[in-house]
Amino acid sequence: MIRFDNVHKRYSDGTHAVDGLDFEVEEGTTTVLVGPSGCGKTTTMKLVNRLEEPTDGTVYYDGTDVEALEATELRRRIGYVIQDIGLFDHMTVGENVATVPELKGWDADRTDERVDELLDLMGLPPGEYRERHPSDLSGGQRQRVGVARALAAGPDVMLMDEPFGALDPITREELQDEFIDIQREIDTTILFVTHDINEALKMGDRIAIMRDGKLVQYDTPTALLDEPKTKFVEEFVGPDRTLKRLRVLRVEEVMRPEVPDEYADIVDAFQGNDAVVADGGEIVPVAPTDSAQVALSRCIQAGVEALPVVEDSTVVGVVTESAIRNRQSEGA
Amino acid sequence: MLAAVSFLGELLSFAAENAGRLARLSYEHVAITLWTLAIALPVAVSLGVVISYYERAATVVLWVAGVLMTIPAIAFFGVLVPVLGIGNPPTIAALVAYAQLPVIRNTYIGLTQADDAAIEAGTGLGMTRLERLRRVRLPVALPVVMAGIRNAVVILVGLAAIGAFIGAGGLGDFIFYGISAGDTAMIVVTTVALSALALAFDYAFGVIEQWLRLRNGEEVDRAVLTRTLAAVHARLS
């Protein structure tokens, strides 16, 4: 969807912000650019919507050299979310979200409908929020409006530059989780910039680690944790790689789709009640999309070796502590 | 005490006897002021927009507008009367010059006030430079521009009186006549009318400014008229 072909960006002061970048952001994926500050990740992102122009090399958008496209036209096809949010404070929430549809000349009915739909999606009921001004909202709500505004005209690509960076940890976590759900619904190609490796591991299907304008490693989160290619990546990922793997590993990847006899009592106990008191504590089931970390922590808390996996209130299998453990040692 | 009461009586009887002429002169005065605004505002606002893009021109333009303000009206007339004749045209031309500084300056300040992040987001979402001006920078600047206009209008109402010196009419007529005839009541009543006019303009433009701020979602202490208009608006919609 987006391809960088030997892209360089040098500034007149001599800074080599992007140094020979070669990689492709695949359609439908969330690709995270991550690295220490000053590594060129934001510049790389801005090369896509032409807020920056490469000094050498070519950036392709859907097969076309971006230089060959009209900058404003290109930008209207790309959603853009920044850390400082940049809402238009003089407009209402609804007017903010309507920005790109209006620039594109949609008719008023279609725009209104779309605005309401997006506010609903972002958990801001239109009846309550559409006519309010951004200054009335909390930081988290403001960034929700920022995301809604970027999604308004149904972009093929979203560029998100540390979108949750300025929020408090709790709100950040909340918005990350919500955005992961939204992302499944909208199926857009996302290029996401962050300096936080945990956020990268959580949000990304693919992660591009950058340093000094160069791509150091481009891999899936699991591959990155299993096989860091350089010392730098290893240090950047941190010494607790094994624990981080638990976070990217989903229950559905390690669960058993049937209930073996030895765990039947745990499942039975669970099915009797919503949460059953076992030896240690109550058994809280997990969902297939939960992380192995959640499953493991609930196992330990309840003092059991396995947990039922529940989807739409039916038991679809079990996940065992040993399965998680085995998977982890395979990786390491 | 008695003298004061009798002077007040004198003023009231002058005002009563000359109500019609005072109204006509006030009307002329307002007309001169409005004509001045009609010409001065497009010029000053455009200049303000242009210098918001060219930082270096800003210093020069604001300096020139500042210098214009220091030129005495009489000197202006000396230059303008031979070219434009007497009456309204040279008066309005001079007033247009005086209106420049407050309006250019406030337009410039207002336009540079928009949040950088909002400008970046606007650009990133695909607004052209003109669209950013129209959708983001101008709406944010408008209340500040209106404050400048309000400032200018008060100055204009006062200065317009001097136009009578070269036959422009307006309330200045009575002031000059009162001075030459030694008619104190005439001078005082006309001056009060002039001040009332200036205050009325000030209030009206103040209400417009508040309305613009409210529309932008800002918090303001509302004037009585703003509250009334808001109540009427709420009733109607």
Side-chain angles (χ1 to χ4, degrees):
Chain A
M1 189 69 200
I2 301 164
R3 192 155 63 82
F4 293 85
D5 183 9
N6 190 29
V7 175
H8 290 263
K9 175 70 186 180
R10 285 186 194 83
Y11 289 106
S12 48
D13 67 358
T15 329
H16 207 152
V18 175
D19 187 0
L21 214 52
D22 261 314
F23 82 109
E24 182 163 4
V25 177
E26 281 159 41
E27 192 165 348
T29 61
T30 298
T31 297
V32 182
L33 288 172
V34 63
S37 41
C39 71
K41 52 194 191 299
T42 295
T43 307
T44 303
M45 196 195 75
K46 287 182 173 174
L47 287 165
V48 177
N49 66 352
R50 293 188 56 188
L51 287 176
E52 297 281 2
E53 308 278 346
T55 38
D56 209 354
T58 316
V59 180
Y60 294 94
Y61 178 90
D62 208 6
T64 319
D65 180 355
V66 291
E67 301 288 314
L69 298 164
E70 225 258 299
T72 51
E73 276 310 310
L74 173 72
R75 290 173 191 153
R76 287 172 198 183
R77 284 159 59 184
I78 299 178
Y80 188 52
V81 184
I82 54 178
Q83 177 171 0
D84 299 327
I85 312 177
L87 290 185
F88 308 127
D89 287 332
H90 63 285
M91 297 182 188
T92 62
V93 166
E95 287 166 344
N96 266 284
V97 178
T99 303
V100 183
E102 276 177 9
L103 291 174
K104 285 190 155 188
W106 289 16
D107 62 61
D109 288 344
R110 186 175 168 208
T111 304
D112 288 349
E113 209 172 294
R114 180 68 179 156
V115 167
D116 287 359
E117 184 188 335
L118 280 164
L119 289 177
D120 266 329
L121 181 71
M122 295 310 300
L124 301 166
E128 190 182 338
Y129 287 99
R130 195 183 38 222
E131 302 304 326
R132 287 171 70 175
H133 278 271
S135 50
D136 297 340
L137 307 182
S138 69
Q141 290 171 328
R142 287 168 63 85
Q143 192 53 292
R144 279 167 220 256
V145 178
V147 172
R149 181 177 64 177
L151 286 171
D156 309 315
V157 169
M158 287 276 278
L159 302 179
M160 306 181 82
D161 189 0
E162 308 238 0
F164 311 130
L167 306 171
D168 64 84
I170 294 169
T171 314
R172 185 186 313 150
E173 193 94 358
E174 229 175 75
L175 251 72
Q176 287 170 346
D177 293 339
E178 276 175 36
F179 192 72
I180 290 171
D181 292 340
I182 290 168
Q183 171 194 342
R184 285 207 190 91
E185 262 177 71
I186 58 175
D187 190 36
T188 298
T189 308
I190 297 164
L191 187 58
F192 192 107
V193 166
T194 180
H195 64 267
D196 175 359
I197 185 68
N198 290 320
E199 185 168 63
L201 291 170
K202 182 171 179 181
M203 308 300 289
D205 301 317
R206 305 291 301 272
I207 294 175
I209 296 196
M210 286 183 74
R211 184 195 193 185
D212 298 335
K214 292 191 178 73
L215 191 65
V216 191
Q217 187 166 356
Y218 184 37
D219 253 320
T220 62
T222 325
L224 202 68
L225 292 167
D226 290 351
E227 292 166 55
K229 278 189 188 151
T230 67
K231 191 90 188 128
F232 169 75
V233 176
E234 200 178 321
E235 277 166 15
F236 192 74
V237 168
D240 55 343
R241 273 173 19 214
T242 313
L243 291 179
K244 285 194 169 109
R245 282 200 68 210
L246 286 176
R247 246 183 279 175
V248 292
L249 187 65
R250 290 178 187 286
V251 167
E252 60 199 350
E253 295 172 64
V254 284
M255 65 181 264
R256 295 167 71 164
E258 79 285 356
V259 181
D261 291 342
E262 69 246 61
Y263 302 122
D265 56 331
I266 294 174
V267 175
D268 286 344
F270 160 72
Q271 269 167 337
N273 302 291
D274 270 347
V276 166
V277 177
D279 296 342
E282 50 179 19
I283 295 172
V284 183
V286 288
T289 52
D290 278 337
S291 69
Q293 188 192 28
V294 171
L296 201 57
S297 122
R298 286 183 188 163
C299 277
I300 294 169
Q301 190 140 23
V304 292
E305 281 148 42
L307 285 177
V309 181
V310 171
E311 194 172 25
D312 298 329
S313 25
T314 46
V315 175
V316 292
V318 292
V319 57
T320 64
E321 203 181 310
S322 57
I324 295 171
R325 211 178 271 280
N326 289 340
R327 177 63 75 93
Q328 285 297 98
S329 47
E330 268 167 43
Chain B
M1 185 67 199
L2 208 63
V5 171
S6 90
F7 181 63
L8 200 62
E10 213 176 302
L11 294 183
L12 289 174
S13 69
F14 175 85
E17 280 161 32
N18 296 281
R21 290 167 73 196
L22 275 169
R24 187 179 52 79
L25 291 177
S26 297
Y27 166 78
E28 285 176 10
H29 209 98
V30 170
I32 291 170
T33 308
L34 292 181
W35 270 109
T36 303
L37 287 180
I39 298 166
L41 296 188
V43 177
V45 172
S46 310
L47 280 171
V49 170
V50 170
I51 65 173
S52 75
Y53 287 115
Y54 303 100
E55 205 54 42
R56 228 179 279 168
T59 326
V60 180
V61 170
L62 289 171
W63 182 78
V64 171
V67 168
L68 282 179
M69 271 208 127
T70 66
I71 299 175
I74 302 292
F76 258 125
F77 294 157
V79 178
L80 291 170
V81 169
V83 185
L84 298 172
I86 58 161
N88 282 346
T91 307
I92 291 171
L95 293 179
V96 165
Y98 289 129
Q100 296 303 305
L101 184 63
V103 181
I104 296 175
R105 190 188 47 209
N106 278 43
T107 306
Y108 173 69
I109 293 171
L111 285 174
T112 46
Q113 220 178 30
D115 176 26
D116 286 340
I119 299 289
E120 199 208 324
T123 312
L125 292 169
M127 289 185 183
T128 61
R129 194 155 86 156
L130 206 65
E131 281 162 345
R132 285 199 298 278
L133 178 66
R134 197 173 70 74
R135 289 171 178 270
V136 184
R137 297 175 68 221
L138 265 184
V140 171
L142 222 48
V144 185
V145 176
M146 197 47 70
I149 295 175
R150 186 178 165 193
N151 203 326
V153 116
V154 175
I155 299 171
L156 292 181
V157 170
L159 283 173
I162 304 173
F165 186 68
I166 51 169
L171 289 166
D173 253 4
F174 261 23
I175 297 178
F176 278 109
Y177 190 77
I179 291 170
S180 55
D183 185 341
T184 313
M186 191 174 202
I187 298 171
V188 172
V189 169
T190 313
T191 306
V192 169
L194 195 71
S195 301
L197 206 59
L199 290 174
F201 267 114
D202 186 50
Y203 190 75
F205 281 94
V207 168
I208 298 175
E209 185 193 328
Q210 287 190 349
W211 178 75
L212 289 169
R213 286 189 190 281
L214 286 173
R215 206 185 53 164
N216 282 359
E218 293 176 40
E219 283 299 322
V220 291
D221 292 328
R222 302 176 189 203
V224 178
L225 184 57
T226 311
R227 282 201 295 268
T228 317
L229 288 176
V232 171
H233 180 76
R235 188 72 56 82
L236 290 178
S237 59

